[in-house]
Amino acid sequence: MSIESQPSACMAARSRARPAWRLIPEIDRDTTLVTSVQGVTGRIALCGAVAVLVALLSLVGIDFSAAPLAMGCAYAGTYRRIFILLATSLLLYRSGFLVDTPLLERLAAQEGVTDRISQPLLQSAMLTLVFALFSGLLVLQGNAATALRRPTMCLLLGFLGLVLATQSTLTVGMPRVLLWSFLVTCQPYLWFLAYALADAGKEQSPVWQKLSVFHPFWGATLTPFGKGLSYLRRFEAKTPEELAVTQLKGVKLAAWTLLLAVGRGCFNELVHGILWLPTFDDTLLRHIVHDPYPRWIGWTSLIAYFVEDLLGMTVFGGIIVATARLAGFRLLRNTYRPLESASLADFWNRYYFYFKELLVDHFFYPTFVRCFRSHRRLRLFFATLVAACLGNLLFHFIRDIRFVVDMGLWNAVVGEQSHAFYTFVLAMSVAVSQLRRVPQRATRGWLRGRLLPCLWVCGFFCILHVFDAPLDREHTLWQRAEFLFYLLGVTT
């Protein structure tokens, strides 16, 4: 697990000579513009530019509708915390507080209790219970006498323990529905709570402020973009000038995301619309039913799948970070120049920054400070393995907990065999990459210093994508391995 910070990568990039022309102008470095945006007229013009970006992004299927809320948050002044709470509550209410209602309805039907419960009433009661429980945990964690020493481990063990309890014959019927209702209500906020509990000793803010950034209005998945409240405070604009620069960075990132979204759409249309190249899933399924496409089509679809994934991740994270910057939080980009990676560990650090940070904060560091303390290299290797493999698997198992309801615990676990192999190979590769890291020699030219490392790193992750299937519970590890052997020309 790379423990490099993205700021160091940014600083290294800025130390190089900048080109005279840029596709997206560096408006955040224009002192005249920065000064103008601090005034009323400049702010109105900035709001107009954001409105245009909202409209343009919607044309390419990107939801940037939280941007007006972000602008309101930025200009709320001393009421910013209250604004965040209200905006977050509004969007969570609009999305049903992210509770998987269809799953609970199917479960109630399976257990034969549909006519005995009111789903809206049950969900309201569970939401009240869950947030009351979260508040209580945060209050207790803020007290040194009652604080949990390992809050993340306690959370995970508690959650997984309740999952095991749902599989018992003692919970058939209504108890199982109640347990799953509690778990499904907790699940979207689990990692936000983990960050809040970890911050409780050093962050003395009121509980409501901590809860206000559980799935903040600027966007997130189960992975918190912006971690917890203490992290957000570090990147919050403190002066009008900082706010202006941060918002201009948000506009710049939104414009860049728009270009990438257009490029992604054009790429998909070219590859699948004009050239009629099948998707990676289609080529895999054709091979499984013993009617494979030619190898060159298989390779082309795999490369296209990797490019689409890279573009998709950049667009998805870019719009969230751009919204947060408009709100006054100068968050680091989620995907930052992955094609400049010189090693596997560097790519992992640049590809999905906030997910990598989650694994580092909750798995890497706790393992690193406790295990093999007298063996530095073994300590680094083992902590990386725990984070990138075990932590990665646990995160995705919790994210996709619905499979346990639909398939049963055993089948859900066995169905993750391909993704388990992916995480193991990924963890081993990143760990070895970190141990073998050597300083780049200045004498290396563009070919040896930039192009060849990029081709090696992208080639490795492209091939590994064959096994990256956390949502696939139908096709086995061996079927995917056979497909890779076929692409490599190896007979089985």
Side-chain angles (χ1 to χ4, degrees):
M1 180 62 54
S2 176
I3 58 176
E4 293 177 341
S5 64
Q6 198 183 43
S8 65
C10 298
M11 291 173 64
R14 288 174 180 171
S15 66
R16 297 191 295 268
R18 292 183 174 274
W21 180 87
R22 297 176 65 89
L23 192 60
I24 304 293
E26 291 194 299
I27 55 177
D28 55 303
R29 291 177 175 270
D30 187 326
T31 55
T32 303
L33 189 56
V34 170
T35 302
S36 173
V37 168
Q38 297 176 48
V40 175
T41 305
R43 288 183 174 184
I44 293 174
L46 183 62
C47 289
V50 170
V52 172
L53 284 171
V54 171
L56 292 175
L57 283 162
S58 67
L59 294 177
V60 292
I62 305 299
D63 184 8
F64 196 38
S65 60
L69 287 175
M71 300 298 287
C73 176
Y75 302 140
T78 57
Y79 299 100
R80 182 179 291 178
R81 292 284 176 262
I82 297 176
F83 190 99
I84 292 174
L85 176 65
L86 294 176
T88 298
S89 301
L90 174 65
L91 294 190
L92 285 178
Y93 175 79
R94 191 178 69 177
S95 62
F97 288 90
L98 306 175
V99 177
D100 192 346
T101 304
L103 175 68
L104 296 179
E105 291 174 348
R106 291 201 307 272
L107 179 65
Q110 291 173 13
E111 298 298 319
V113 298
T114 302
D115 57 343
R116 295 164 53 190
I117 61 173
S118 168
Q119 284 290 351
L121 181 61
L122 178 60
Q123 290 171 27
S124 298
M126 282 300 169
L127 280 169
T128 303
L129 174 63
V130 164
F131 281 98
L133 178 61
F134 286 179
S135 300
L137 287 174
L138 290 173
V139 170
L140 292 174
Q141 190 68 3
N143 187 334
T146 56
L148 299 172
R149 292 186 58 192
R150 301 180 184 179
T152 300
M153 181 183 293
C154 292
L155 275 183
L156 294 179
L157 289 177
F159 187 91
L160 296 176
L162 290 178
V163 172
L164 286 175
T166 64
Q167 305 303 299
S168 170
T169 55
L170 299 176
T171 60
V172 173
M174 186 63 75
R176 181 169 294 166
V177 173
L178 293 176
L179 275 175
W180 274 115
S181 296
F182 178 78
L183 288 169
V184 170
T185 306
C186 283
Q187 181 236 28
Y189 310 98
L190 193 67
W191 296 105
F192 294 87
L193 179 60
Y195 270 117
L197 290 175
D199 286 346
K202 55 187 177 182
E203 180 59 62
Q204 301 302 318
S205 300
V207 169
W208 67 267
Q209 290 190 13
K210 298 173 183 177
L211 293 177
S212 70
V213 294
F214 281 32
H215 269 279
F217 71 87
W218 52 79
T221 58
L222 256 66
T223 303
F225 279 60
K227 303 188 184 184
L229 196 58
S230 64
Y231 184 87
L232 288 171
R233 288 191 189 281
R234 289 171 49 199
F235 292 93
E236 184 175 6
K238 304 296 192 303
T239 65
E241 183 180 0
E242 287 182 3
L243 178 59
V245 170
T246 301
Q247 289 186 305
L248 289 172
K249 282 182 173 293
V251 170
K252 188 171 69 170
L253 181 56
W256 175 239
T257 303
L258 173 63
L259 292 181
L260 289 178
V262 171
R264 180 183 62 174
C266 293
F267 179 81
N268 289 339
E269 177 62 24
L270 171 65
V271 170
H272 302 300
I274 299 176
L275 299 180
W276 289 8
L277 183 73
T279 65
F280 170 76
D281 288 339
D282 288 338
T283 58
L284 173 64
L285 292 177
R286 282 281 295 268
H287 182 269
I288 289 174
V289 298
H290 306 292
D291 184 23
Y293 285 107
R295 284 188 178 86
W296 71 269
I297 291 183
W299 276 112
T300 308
S301 67
L302 178 58
I303 294 171
Y305 174 56
F306 175 73
V307 173
E308 290 164 6
D309 177 71
L310 205 57
L311 286 172
M313 179 62 69
T314 308
V315 170
F316 147 76
I319 210 65
I320 294 176
V321 173
T323 307
R325 289 180 176 181
L326 290 178
F329 297 94
R330 193 172 174 175
L331 297 186
L332 302 173
R333 285 164 58 177
N334 183 55
T335 304
Y336 182 77
R337 299 183 179 182
L339 298 183
E340 291 187 4
S341 304
S343 66
L344 302 181
D346 191 27
F347 184 92
W348 179 244
N349 191 51
R350 293 168 177 266
Y351 170 69
Y352 194 167
F353 177 72
Y354 288 102
F355 178 58
K356 186 272 302 183
E357 286 289 283
L358 183 149
L359 296 182
V360 167
D361 292 335
H362 297 290
F363 295 96
F364 178 89
Y365 284 133
T367 305
F368 187 78
V369 300
R370 291 183 178 94
C371 300
F372 305 111
R373 300 177 68 174
S374 59
H375 301 84
R376 187 184 66 83
R377 291 172 66 84
L378 179 60
R379 183 187 189 189
L380 177 63
F381 182 88
F382 183 69
T384 302
L385 202 64
V386 168
C389 183
L390 178 61
N392 200 337
L393 276 176
L394 283 174
F395 176 90
H396 285 92
F397 179 76
I398 292 171
R399 186 197 69 176
D400 304 320
I401 200 67
R402 67 184 183 278
F403 285 119
V404 178
V405 176
D406 294 333
M407 305 172 60
L409 180 60
W410 175 251
N411 290 331
V413 172
V414 171
E416 268 210 275
Q417 56 185 275
S418 179
H419 189 245
F421 176 78
Y422 164 82
T423 58
F424 177 74
V425 174
L426 172 67
M428 292 290 292
S429 304
V430 171
V432 171
S433 175
Q434 289 193 131
L435 294 177
R436 296 183 60 186
R437 181 178 294 145
V438 295
Q440 290 290 325
R441 290 180 295 180
T443 55
R444 288 188 174 183
W446 180 81
L447 178 64
R448 294 184 59 198
R450 296 286 296 277
L451 180 61
L452 293 181
C454 174
L455 292 176
W456 148 244
V457 169
C458 290
F460 172 84
F461 278 98
C462 183
I463 292 174
L464 194 59
H465 258 53
V466 172
F467 302 98
D468 184 15
L471 296 177
D472 184 5
R473 296 296 190 277
E474 297 180 14
H475 307 110
T476 65
L477 170 63
W478 179 243
Q479 287 174 322
R480 289 180 174 273
E482 281 188 319
F483 177 68
L484 180 59
F485 291 150
Y486 169 71
L487 293 182
L488 295 173
V490 178
T491 57
T492 58

